[in-house]
């Protein structure tokens, strides 16, 4: 499995293999590119060439800076489409994928995550060009939760906390 994290025009990557004995790290590193487009189009190719990989499942993580977040109060999940139309998000659906997740203790509170469709499509196209499979697509802090469940078996714990510190002194 090749995991590539995309931030601005920089990528970090880690290749791993999970077997009965545990998780093995095969290689890791970081690459800097001239632009976001170049990072999207060349990162997997460069890693494949460097590590002499023929085929690999690829999981991409994009930084939360590439997303727009909002929270809404909505009586039921079926009304989320109606809310999108009222707020003008219906027109944006041509350019953005929107996902809503319940948050908090109340049943009517949702976190909205909106992602530029072109980024995901370009990553999928770059993966097809190197004859590999697009395994998963995640966003910044949420990818840490997936990793915690996968490696540390956090899904078996009653409570756990994922915290991310960003270079600009922000915390997610």
């Amino acid at each position: 499995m090749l995991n590539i994290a995309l931030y601005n025009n920089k990528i970090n990557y880690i290749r791993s293999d999970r077997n009965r004995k545990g998780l093995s790290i095969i290689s890791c590193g970081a690459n800097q590119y001239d632009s976001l487009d170049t990072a999207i189009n060349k990162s997997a190719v460069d890693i494949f060439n460097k590590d002499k990989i023929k085929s690999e499942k690829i999981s991409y993580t994009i930084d939360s800076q590439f997303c727009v977040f909002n929270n809404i109060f909505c009586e039921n999940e079926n009304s989320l489409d109606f809310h999108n139309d009222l707020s003008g998000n219906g027109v944006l659906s041509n350019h953005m994928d929107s996902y809503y997740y319940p948050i908090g203790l109340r049943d009517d509170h949702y976190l909205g995550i909106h992602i530029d469709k072109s980024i995901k499509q370009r990553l999928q196209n770059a993966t097809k060009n190197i004859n590999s499979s697009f395994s998963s697509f995640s966003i910044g802090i949420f990818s840490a939760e997936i990793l915690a469940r996968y490696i540390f078996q956090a899904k078996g714990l009653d409570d756990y906390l994922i915290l991310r510190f960003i270079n600009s002194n922000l915390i997610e």
Side-chain angles (χ1 to χ4, degrees):
M1 170 74 82
L2 172 62
N3 300 286
I4 300 174
L6 182 65
Y7 174 77
N8 280 339
N9 55 350
K10 180 179 180 182
I11 62 116
N12 291 295
Y13 70 93
I14 187 167
R15 275 188 68 214
S16 61
D17 183 35
R18 185 176 171 103
N19 54 36
R20 284 185 269 150
K21 294 179 183 178
L23 183 73
S24 299
I25 305 301
I26 300 168
S27 67
C28 62
N31 292 342
Q32 185 85 25
Y33 295 93
D34 294 335
S35 67
L36 175 62
D37 271 343
T38 307
I40 289 172
N41 295 324
K42 295 276 197 167
S43 58
V45 172
D46 290 348
I47 296 166
F48 270 55
N49 290 337
K50 180 182 174 201
D51 286 4
K52 297 179 176 83
I53 305 169
K54 294 192 191 300
S55 180
E56 187 86 63
K57 288 184 179 179
I58 301 177
S59 173
Y60 286 100
T61 301
I62 62 168
D63 193 75
S64 57
Q65 72 174 358
F66 297 120
C67 305
V68 176
F69 296 87
N70 71 334
N71 69 73
I72 62 168
F73 291 92
C74 191
E75 288 187 24
N76 65 42
E77 199 171 329
N78 297 331
S79 300
L80 289 173
D81 289 333
F82 177 71
H83 174 77
N84 277 340
D85 289 340
L86 284 180
S87 63
N89 287 346
V91 175
L92 289 177
S93 67
N94 297 333
H95 307 285
M96 308 275 285
D97 283 328
S98 296
Y99 304 93
Y100 290 94
Y101 301 95
I103 58 172
L105 300 174
R106 296 173 50 158
D107 289 340
D108 63 348
H109 195 187
Y110 292 87
L111 170 67
I113 303 172
H114 314 282
I115 306 165
D116 184 341
K117 285 183 177 184
S118 71
I119 291 176
K120 184 176 178 182
Q121 186 60 51
R122 288 185 289 165
L123 290 171
Q124 288 174 324
N125 292 342
T127 302
K128 287 178 191 172
N129 291 339
I130 55 174
N131 198 24
S132 290
S133 62
F134 191 91
S135 177
S136 66
F137 181 71
S138 61
I139 301 164
I141 191 71
F142 301 104
S143 64
E145 199 271 335
I146 292 168
L147 185 67
R149 281 190 284 149
Y150 180 70
I151 294 177
F152 302 111
Q153 304 302 316
K155 62 184 172 193
L157 302 174
D158 290 336
D159 293 312
Y160 60 94
L161 172 70
I162 304 292
L163 184 65
R164 177 180 179 216
F165 295 94
I166 304 174
N167 291 343
S168 61
N169 297 325
L170 297 173
I171 297 176
E172 287 183 345

